[in-house]
Amino acid sequence: MSDLLLNLALILVKLGLIFAVILSMAAYLVLAERKILGRMQLRHGPNRLGPFGLIQPVADVIKLITKEDFVPDQSDKWLFLFAPGLTALTALLSFVVVPFSPPLAIFGRELPMVVCDLNIGLLYFLGISSLGVYGVVIGGWASNSKYSLLGAIRSLGQLLSYELSMGLALIPVVLTAKSFSLTDIVMSQADWPNLVRHPLAFLIFLVSIAAESKRTPFDMPEAENEIVGGFHTEYSGMRFGLFFVGEYINLVILGSMLTVLFLGGWHGPLLPPIVWFSLKVLFVAFCFIWARGTMPRLRYDQLMHLGWKVLIPLALLNLLVTAAVLLALKG
Amino acid sequence: MGIWRDIKGTLLPFWITLGYLFTKPATIQYPEEKRTPPPRYRARIVLTRDPDGNERCVACHLCSAACPVDCISMQAAETEDGRRYAAWFRINFARCIFCGLCAEACPTLAIQMTPDYEICNRDPLSLVQEKEDLLIDGCGKDEEYNFYRHSGIGVVNPRGGNEDENAPVNPKALVP
Amino acid sequence: MASILFYILGFVMLAATLLCVTCRNPVHAVIYLVKGFFALALMFYLLGAPLIAAWEVIVYVGAIMVLFLFIIMVLELAPREQPQEPGWQRWVPGLLLAASIMICTLLIIFQDPSAASHGPNHFVGPREFGEALFGKYALAVEVVSFQLLFAAVGAYYLGRYQPRRRNEEDQT
Ligand code: SF4
Ligand code: SF4
């Protein structure tokens, strides 16, 4: 019994730590994004609050909390109120399976550095990330506004299409690691990161998660200048904030998935594993921000074309070739 | 080769934005860093005096007629010698859009724009400025110009007595 | 413990599905159905098939229901003018279902992991699942996949662009 309690306490402590880290990371990613985008456009970005604007996230949160929480009259109230929470929650939940460091030995016990090492961790991640679309869609539909509905429809189509190529790009990784567990997948990359072994799968996965996170080259669902913010047009105050933070949590999650699956997780010379892991995640996040500062938005038909006619056939081909090569090597 | 062009077209922008990331921003940090506006900048409006030290304004109402937002108002008055002046003169800077049409319309160069742009204020009523606030000791942009020495009724010189003026024509003498 | 949970989940699933078919609003119906699928996934997990539970969520909740929503929204089937109904009573069933699913999930998570013997005797891992699927049941899998292929081809055939037919209709 005491063993069970200890396990429970450990899980809760890890969960709390991860939530705190991720939430603050998301808050500071917002700041980092604004600063980096600013510098890329020859501006400064926020720099008034504290040195280099470091207190800006706090001010943002205060502003969002004190704003009126507006509910449109003809909206589907309960769904409207509940959708933003769903978005943020699903984004947070996927972090449960991400291993960020090799198992640690404390007090003679082996302590896995992951909240819950599921043996189907990868599938769990795929499942949770496919749930993420519900928050957006329900929010957009419940607002009962044309722009929100358009945003919801766009995000439905987009997420559905890119989920396929994302899943297909992951199968070669599973084939080499011979496991669905993320810890095993990281272990299998001890000498070579999967980036080297499966460059095509890496590219496909990269594009797919960029589309999945609804960020700039693929931000049709929120396209401010076409459909006025899309699904979150009608939201204000902290509910908008939840959508917003959810997007950045998603960025952290997808960055860590990319790290775990393709960049070799915590493996790296000299520095301790956890530092390598965070460095890689931050680098991926920077690349996403960089892409936002660089790329124009795609058109919707271009998006669908890219998803269905380029990425999915490529991913299938890649899967076929990888499987054949692995079979040949084995036999 | 189309594909190489595409790859280059995708990657080159990334290089360029990365370069911008390490370029000094073009922003001017306003309250700490102020830039000097050019002399013809259109900001706070002043009423100037002529070289003799008299008010230039002759209360002709041209500026208030020209003003698109109707923020100038005044009351005309006249001294003993027939010189007109504004009994009171008011500009509501809370409405002024600093278009400069008033300064362009003014025949006496009395009303002029200056580069002093820092006039924002939390109390709009304090932006309604009277003649005392607007009048400055000086000629502003044109040091020489004195309206009554070029035209106008005989205040300084008799009518038609100015250098660049002809004597008034007697219309009855023109009748054939 | 496990069997009680099983019956609770079964009831939740039945109730959710019933609400789904009786619900007027198609989007609400989809949400009830999603809840039903969640309950079903948890039941699969209880029965020792975590992989199927995961597929249930990924495929049914994450893809098929999303497609349903897509169709509903594109066709604007959802009633736009909702009568101003008295509010919270209508939400009691939905909230109750969601709450019971949540509680069951928490119970399953915090079940004594060492005492998994309460439930099924062993958990079917991905490897065994794959072996069964492509070994013992390979023929069935192939047949089903062919069926899907036929369905896809049929859908394409029905939905192809037919400029000719419109002209004929115009003439008649
Ligand atoms: S600058 Fe334009 S708006 Fe201002 S007082 Fe002159 S005419 Fe009016
Ligand atoms: S146009 Fe010039 S002279 Fe006439 S009223 Fe205005 S400021 Fe005075």
Side-chain angles (χ1 to χ4, degrees), chain A residues 136-157 220-222 227-235 300, chain C residues 27 69-80:
Chain A
V136 169
V137 169
I138 289 176
W141 179 80
S143 310
N144 203 353
S145 132
K146 303 247 178 330
Y147 292 123
S148 304
L149 187 70
L150 278 177
I153 293 177
R154 285 182 179 197
S155 60
L156 271 173
M220 261 78 46
E222 30 195 316
I227 51 173
V228 211
F231 56 87
H232 58 61
T233 307
E234 303 293 338
Y235 281 92
Y300 203 70
Chain C
V27 173
L69 271 181
F70 187 74
I71 302 297
I72 288 172
M73 286 188 183
V74 169
L75 299 183
E76 285 220 59
L77 290 176
R80 301 308 291 173

Side-chain angles (χ1 to χ4, degrees), chain B residues 47 57-63 74 89 106-108 110-111:
Chain B
L47 286 176
C57 176
V58 294
C60 65
H61 287 91
L62 282 179
C63 51
M74 76 197 77
F89 192 102
C106 182
T108 66
I111 192 164

Side-chain angles (χ1 to χ4, degrees), chain A residues 276-294:
Chain A
W276 267 111
F277 184 81
S278 357
L279 274 182
K280 285 173 181 173
V281 172
L282 288 179
F283 177 71
V284 175
F286 170 75
C287 287
F288 276 109
I289 295 172
W290 190 11
R292 175 164 177 193
T294 308

Side-chain angles (χ1 to χ4, degrees), chain A residues 2-306:
Chain A
S2 72
D3 220 34
L4 175 68
L5 279 183
L6 199 62
N7 269 340
L8 207 69
L10 270 179
I11 287 185
L12 286 182
V13 165
K14 278 192 278 191
L15 216 58
L17 258 178
I18 285 181
F19 272 24
V21 169
I22 300 233
L23 284 178
S24 49
M25 208 163 151
Y28 275 90
L29 262 184
V30 178
L31 178 67
E33 166 147 49
R34 289 168 68 185
K35 296 256 348 161
I36 293 174
L37 277 186
R39 290 302 298 266
M40 281 177 177
Q41 297 160 357
L42 298 186
R43 301 182 281 111
H44 281 285
N47 62 354
R48 291 283 141 185
L49 277 167
F52 306 109
L54 280 180
I55 316 181
Q56 185 72 35
V58 183
D60 286 346
V61 168
I62 292 177
K63 183 192 83 174
L64 284 175
I65 288 179
T66 50
K67 271 196 168 182
E68 184 191 353
D69 186 7
F70 180 74
V71 183
D73 189 32
Q74 286 292 313
S75 65
D76 200 318
K77 300 220 170 39
W78 284 68
L79 290 184
F80 183 84
L81 297 182
F82 143 91
L86 192 64
T87 314
L89 192 71
T90 43
L92 270 177
L93 273 182
S94 10
F95 215 81
V96 169
V97 288
V98 174
F100 40 88
S101 167
L104 224 61
I106 300 180
F107 308 133
R109 293 167 58 94
E110 183 154 278
L111 187 62
M113 291 307 271
V114 43
V115 176
C116 186
D117 187 17
L118 291 178
N119 63 349
I120 49 167
L122 194 62
L123 293 181
Y124 173 87
F125 161 72
L126 283 177
I128 292 287
S129 81
S130 65
L131 288 187
V133 62
Y134 277 96
V136 169
V137 169
I138 289 176
W141 179 80
S143 310
N144 203 353
S145 132
K146 303 247 178 330
Y147 292 123
S148 304
L149 187 70
L150 278 177
I153 293 177
R154 285 182 179 197
S155 60
L156 271 173
Q158 175 174 339
L159 270 72
L160 199 62
S161 321
Y162 280 84
E163 204 127 280
L164 282 178
S165 52
M166 185 166 97
L168 286 175
L170 290 184
I171 299 181
V173 174
V174 177
L175 285 182
T176 38
K178 300 191 176 63
S179 166
F180 278 118
S181 153
L182 293 177
T183 315
D184 292 349
I185 289 178
V186 175
M187 295 292 192
S188 77
Q189 305 177 53
D191 25 300
W192 287 107
N194 273 334
L195 169 60
V196 184
R197 275 188 283 194
H198 306 293
L200 190 58
F202 170 75
L203 274 182
I204 295 168
F205 187 70
L206 187 68
V207 176
S208 308
I209 62 173
E212 195 86 342
S213 64
K214 303 189 284 294
R215 287 181 59 81
T216 280
F218 304 100
D219 64 344
M220 261 78 46
E222 30 195 316
E224 284 83 0
N225 31 17
E226 293 167 23
I227 51 173
V228 211
F231 56 87
H232 58 61
T233 307
E234 303 293 338
Y235 281 92
S236 63
M238 205 52 217
R239 286 183 203 282
F240 167 73
L242 277 176
F243 271 131
F244 197 65
V245 158
E247 186 186 324
Y248 285 88
I249 298 175
N250 226 345
L251 193 64
V252 181
I253 301 291
L254 294 175
S256 22
M257 286 317 283
L258 196 70
T259 310
V260 164
L261 294 169
F262 286 98
L263 301 182
W266 62 72
H267 292 299
L270 293 180
L271 297 172
I274 188 130
V275 176
W276 267 111
F277 184 81
S278 357
L279 274 182
K280 285 173 181 173
V281 172
L282 288 179
F283 177 71
V284 175
F286 170 75
C287 287
F288 276 109
I289 295 172
W290 190 11
R292 175 164 177 193
T294 308
M295 312 276 276
R297 180 182 304 136
L298 266 72
R299 248 180 13 234
Y300 203 70
D301 60 321
Q302 290 171 332
L303 175 93
M304 285 298 160
H305 179 94
L306 180 68

